[in-house]
Amino acid sequence: RLMAGAAILTAAGTEADALCGGAPGAWEFWVPWEEGAESFKAVSGGSARGVYYRVVGNKGKEKTKVKGKTYVRRPLLIVADKFRSHDYLQTLEAVVTSDRRVVEYDGLGEGLSEPLEDKTKDGLKAQGDEALKYAVNELAALAEPLRKQMKVEGFHILGHAFGAEVAVAYAQQAPKGMVASLSLAAPPSSLSVPKDGKYQTTVLKDPAMLCTEEGSDAQRESFVSDVISFIDQVDGVATSKSLFT
């Protein structure tokens, strides 16, 4: 672990800007968070590099009892687009309003992860299949240690664009129970959406503009609400309070 604490999500630095600079709601204050890095080695005998991750939310709220039955809200793990850090999707940290944690990471040497060597990065940019393979292996190297550290059975996974391809490819090889559901945001038209019944899948709009001047609070809240509604339905729980209040 690199750092841990509790912070207002709209603070400066590495804290998130969940509503992209809007007036903070009561839920945004003092949300627990931690940051760390997992070691990832692309090839046997090669050098390892650190992959940055960030976990936001409160583990203690993920279990709930209804009429004597215990329900568990599984965390959401977000996979960003190719060669982009997690920052542009940080509005999705608002998913913590559904009483589950949110995990983000910087893949392919972007953001706060240790950068790729120029030769490696150029090769991955030139060869899409290799980039996908690399990204899937990177996610696999991150997911299992995080599952153990966070003491959860698995994750809901949301992938954006190239990240949707990574999510689907990873889900097809992941250990049983690791993937609770797939949320595919603006997936490539060539991507085949899984229909094997192993996990539920939904397709979402493109979230890339949510945290730009082109995005509105209404659009951000609508997107987050759609995500929460889907993963709550998969977990068999209901969101009992209004979002962003």
Side-chain angles (χ1 to χ4, degrees):
R1 177 191 296 181
L2 297 180
M3 191 180 301
I8 178 173
L9 290 183
T10 53
T14 56
E15 283 78 52
D17 192 5
L19 288 183
C20 308
W27 66 269
E28 293 183 73
F29 290 87
W30 304 109
V31 177
W33 58 275
E34 65 178 89
E35 300 172 324
E38 284 295 333
S39 179
F40 171 64
K41 186 180 295 186
V43 295
S44 177
S47 58
R49 40 175 290 274
V51 178
Y52 166 86
Y53 67 84
R54 172 179 169 83
V55 181
V56 178
N58 191 333
K59 173 189 174 183
K61 293 186 176 183
E62 289 178 345
K63 285 188 179 181
T64 185
K65 276 192 174 182
V66 179
K67 296 181 179 180
K69 185 175 181 179
T70 299
Y71 295 88
V72 178
R73 293 179 171 90
R74 285 166 286 194
L76 175 68
L77 192 160
I78 298 170
V79 187
D81 196 4
K82 187 187 297 184
F83 296 115
R84 298 190 69 172
S85 70
H86 74 281
D87 295 20
Y88 77 103
L89 293 176
Q90 279 189 331
T91 193
L92 291 176
E93 289 190 3
V95 169
V96 299
T97 58
S98 65
D99 293 336
R100 57 167 52 79
R101 286 170 289 179
V102 175
V103 183
E104 304 150 287
Y105 73 99
D106 289 338
L108 299 177
E110 294 300 312
L112 296 175
S113 291
E114 290 186 40
L116 299 174
E117 295 182 357
D118 290 343
K119 182 179 179 180
T120 300
K121 188 169 185 177
D122 290 343
L124 295 180
K125 284 184 175 180
Q127 301 179 56
D129 289 346
E130 288 302 311
L132 179 60
K133 180 180 178 181
Y134 189 102
V136 170
N137 289 338
E138 189 176 53
L139 174 55
L142 181 68
E144 180 59 24
L146 277 178
R147 184 188 68 80
K148 292 179 180 179
Q149 176 184 317
M150 295 172 67
K151 297 180 180 180
V152 296
E153 293 183 2
F155 301 93
H156 297 284
I157 300 182
L158 186 153
H160 172 227
F162 173 76
E165 294 185 85
V166 176
V168 169
Y170 170 68
Q172 292 173 344
Q173 67 176 49
K176 184 178 180 180
M178 178 66 83
V179 178
S181 72
L182 291 175
S183 296
L184 309 178
S189 58
S190 59
L191 181 63
S192 177
V193 178
K195 296 180 180 179
D196 55 13
K198 290 183 179 179
Y199 31 75
Q200 295 186 51
T201 304
T202 190
V203 177
L204 302 167
K205 297 178 181 179
D206 193 339
M209 298 301 171
L210 291 180
C211 264
T212 69
E213 292 182 355
E214 297 177 32
S216 67
D217 282 352
Q219 290 172 321
R220 289 185 276 274
E221 293 180 19
S222 176
F223 189 92
V224 171
S225 296
D226 286 346
V227 173
I228 290 175
S229 177
F230 171 66
I231 59 181
D232 270 350
Q233 179 263 319
V234 174
D235 285 338
V237 298
T239 304
S240 58
K241 58 181 178 297
S242 299
L243 301 176
F244 314 109
T245 58

